[in-house]
Every structure is written in C-alpha cells, then in structure tokens.
Amino acid sequence: MARVMVGMSGGVDSSVAASLLVDAGHDVVGVTLKLWGGESDSGCCSVSDVDDARRVARRLGIEHYVFNFGEDFDRFVVDPYVADHEAGRTPNPCVECNRHIKFDKLIRRADALGFATIATGHHARVVDDAGVRRIARGADHAKDQSYVLHMLGQSQLARLLLPVGDMTKDDVRARAADLDLITATKPDSQDVCFIHSEGGRAAFLGDRIPLRPARLVDGDGAEVGSVTSVELVTIGQRRGLNLGGDGGRRYVVDIDRRAGVVTVGPREDLLVEHQPLHDVAWSHQPVDGALTFQCSAHGTPRGGTVTADAETGVGLIAWDEPQPRVAEGQSIAFYTGDRVVGGATAAHR
C-alpha cells in the first residue's frame, strides 16, 4: 500500500476520499492548503474549512497539516485573474489553481516530504489505456470535474488517486453521514473561492482596477443601453445587460474595451466555423481525427477537429458545424469519448 498525501479542502468530497484511502489500507496524511488570505464565504478557503478538515482527519485517525501557499496563489491565480479582466479576457481561476498550485506546488511539497502518491476529492477518474493514463469523466456526470483537470500530463497522472470518481454525489454524502463526518451536509463550494458573495466580482475587481462604463449598441450601431463596467462583460453573455423585453434574445457578440462599446445581437452573430487557440497541450501525444470539446465546467460537448503547432502551442478548432465563439481566456478541454486527451485556452479571433 502507498503512502498518500490527500488534499482536504474541508468539503465532503475530499473528506470521503480520505476515508476511502484509509479503508484501503494506505498510509494517509491529510493536508489543507491555505491559499486566500482575504475574506471568503465560498466553503473553500476560510478558516472554518481548515477546522472542518482537521476535525475530519481526527475522526479518521490520520495526521493533518496546513500548507500556506498564499503567495503562490496570489501570483499564479489572483493576480492573473485581475489582469485578464483588465485586458478583456475571461479567466478560469479554478483551472489555473489546479495547474499551478494543486498539481504543481503540492506535488513538489509531496516530493520533499517523501510522498509518491497524492489524492484529491475531484469527481473524475484516472484510467489506464494500454499504458497511457488519462483523466476520464466521473461517474456522476452532473458533478463531473474532468474539465478542470485537462492540463494534467503523464507524470502527474502516474501518481494521482481520485477515490470518489466512481461515486455519485449522493453516495459520497451517504458515506460521510455513515461515518458521522462534520462535512456530510456541507454545501458545495463556489467556483471562485476568493470572490465573496456580497459584492461579487464587481466589488473584488473594483478594489483592484478601475471599472469603466460602456455603451451597449446593436449591429447597426444604435445605442440600446449601457453597462456599469466593461471589464465584467464577456462574449456570449446574455444575463445582466438590462436590455428590456423586445421579444428577442440578445447576446454580447463583440467588445471594444478601449472605446467602451459592447455590441449585442442574436445568437447567430456569435456562430463561427473555427476557434483559435493558444497553449495547446496534450496529456500524451497529439490526437488526430474527431474529438469533442468542452468549453466550460458543465458545458455541452461540441464536435470538431484540432490542429496545433507543437512548438508554439498555437492551434485551431474546426467545428463540425458552426458554434458560438468562446470568450478569449476560457479553457477548452479535448475529449475522445469520456477520456480527456488535452486542452487549450481560447484565443482572440
């Protein structure tokens, strides 16, 4: 059996993951990452979450430690999040946290402490396809988190355990209740752990960068409204535009941040045949032929093919049929069936 370092966020999934590893006979140590030093109410980075993880570890009879990666979190997640909004991109901080913190800094710490294996509570699976390891969708498709793990390569997958990947969320909560774990009924965390529910993105970004109003115009250039902050608008957005009810749905189809102009139009104006990419990376080797692409955490997969330059990571998706343009900065995961084979970041058209 392995000596396993399990990341315990203070939530029910990682709590049950730790319990399953203990039951399997592994030598388990729980660790909680202290990432965000500011106010949080998301159920991911607060002091109470550390306490919950510690209490679960005590209940399971395993050691528990707290690693402070706050400076790294600011550098690799929070600061780029702010910079992306200021530059007109739509960032995905959970992906960057996994890329730079949970599956880089944490693995480095595991190496330093002599742990060959790490585990998390993500709802996804690690599978072996003829010697090639892949992230695969979790058993509970409604809670599947394979999308946010698309950046993992062979060296990381070789040492990763995802114990709850074969369970539904209901099964996870039932097991936590059977073990009388304090996290059994704890709500799921929000996606962005450092954004407080009171004030949201506007308050968070407004404390760090100037937020500028913008005019809303239609395809003919006629003004149809306004938004208080162009930095909070994203391609494809429909809600929160206060356009009034004229019988037709209108979406953000173009953003000129420098001029302070946001163009809205029907869904058809978003449709494109190709999606530019950068930072294309494969979990093993490039895969030719038909793939499906997921463009948000729980988005509907879209069919197409991808070409990419191996040296620059610049690429292009050719959609099987026209699809809505993906906002610059968003992550796109590549799948064959339920297996993740790679991913990239949406580039400007």
Side-chain angles (χ1 to χ4, degrees):
M1 293 298 172
R3 188 165 182 246
V4 183
M5 175 183 287
V6 55
M8 299 180 68
S9 66
V12 65
D13 295 317
S14 57
S15 299
V16 169
S19 77
L20 292 169
L21 294 168
V22 170
D23 283 358
H26 295 293
D27 179 8
V28 180
V29 171
V31 300
T32 301
L33 307 184
K34 183 58 180 167
L35 302 177
W36 174 238
E39 191 177 8
S40 173
D41 62 353
S42 69
C44 185
C45 289
S46 67
V47 172
S48 64
D49 300 317
V50 176
D51 290 339
D52 288 345
R54 183 179 291 114
R55 292 170 70 177
V56 168
R58 185 181 303 120
R59 178 76 177 172
L60 298 177
I62 63 175
E63 295 182 67
H64 177 263
Y65 299 95
V66 178
F67 297 157
N68 189 340
F69 289 157
E71 291 185 4
D72 293 312
F73 188 70
D74 286 345
R75 176 185 175 190
F76 291 109
V77 181
V78 179
D79 292 347
Y81 177 86
V82 175
D84 280 345
H85 276 287
E86 189 171 29
R89 295 182 290 270
T90 303
N92 196 321
C94 293
V95 168
E96 297 313 307
C97 182
N98 284 333
R99 188 193 313 275
H100 295 290
I101 307 298
K102 294 175 183 175
F103 297 99
D104 184 6
K105 298 299 179 182
L106 181 59
I107 286 180
R108 292 173 188 266
R109 183 65 60 88
D111 287 340
L113 296 176
F115 288 85
T117 306
I118 67 167
T120 70
H122 284 95
H123 278 268
R125 296 175 294 129
V126 178
V127 297
D128 190 312
D129 291 336
V132 177
R133 291 180 180 266
R134 305 282 193 196
I135 286 289
R137 294 192 184 279
D140 191 334
H141 284 193
K143 297 295 182 180
D144 172 51
Q145 293 175 299
S146 59
Y147 167 83
V148 297
L149 302 177
H150 71 263
M151 78 297 297
L152 299 182
Q154 293 301 297
S155 62
Q156 296 154 314
L157 294 173
R159 60 193 306 180
L160 175 63
L161 297 176
L162 299 175
V164 305
D166 291 313
M167 303 174 70
T168 67
K169 188 74 176 197
D170 288 343
D171 290 338
V172 170
R173 291 200 181 277
R175 178 176 175 84
D178 288 343
L179 294 171
D180 196 25
L181 301 182
I182 191 173
T183 55
T185 59
K186 188 172 182 177
D188 291 342
S189 61
Q190 299 173 7
D191 284 341
V192 183
C193 66
F194 50 87
I195 301 295
H196 199 280
S197 59
E198 184 176 346
R201 284 189 307 151
F204 181 84
L205 291 170
D207 288 341
R208 292 162 175 81
I209 58 174
L211 298 182
R212 300 169 298 138
R215 296 184 299 120
L216 294 177
V217 302
D218 63 18
D220 296 324
E223 188 163 340
V224 294
S226 64
V227 292
T228 57
S229 172
V230 69
E231 289 79 12
L232 299 179
V233 178
T234 187
I235 293 294
Q237 179 179 337
R238 181 171 68 88
R239 299 183 186 277
L241 300 177
N242 299 317
L243 290 171
D246 62 356
R249 291 185 174 182
R250 286 180 289 184
Y251 302 79
V252 174
V253 299
D254 194 29
I255 305 171
D256 186 338
R257 281 173 169 78
R258 183 166 298 179
V261 175
V262 174
T263 303
V264 298
R267 184 177 182 275
E268 291 73 24
D269 289 354
L270 282 171
L271 299 181
V272 293
E273 295 183 349
H274 299 90
Q275 174 64 51
L277 306 170
H278 64 84
D279 296 333
V280 175
W282 302 92
S283 61
H284 181 51
Q285 298 290 338
V287 177
D288 295 324
L291 298 171
T292 55
F293 302 88
Q294 189 165 319
C295 305
S296 63
H298 300 289
T300 301
R302 317 174 187 180
T305 58
V306 64
T307 55
D309 185 288
E311 293 186 3
T312 66
V314 174
L316 190 73
I317 296 173
W319 299 117
D320 291 342
E321 55 186 51
Q323 296 292 332
R325 184 157 53 98
V326 182
E328 181 185 4
Q330 279 289 282
S331 296
I332 301 177
F334 309 164
Y335 291 80
T336 57
D338 67 351
R339 268 63 165 164
V340 177
V341 297
T345 304
H348 186 68
R349 61 180 177 178

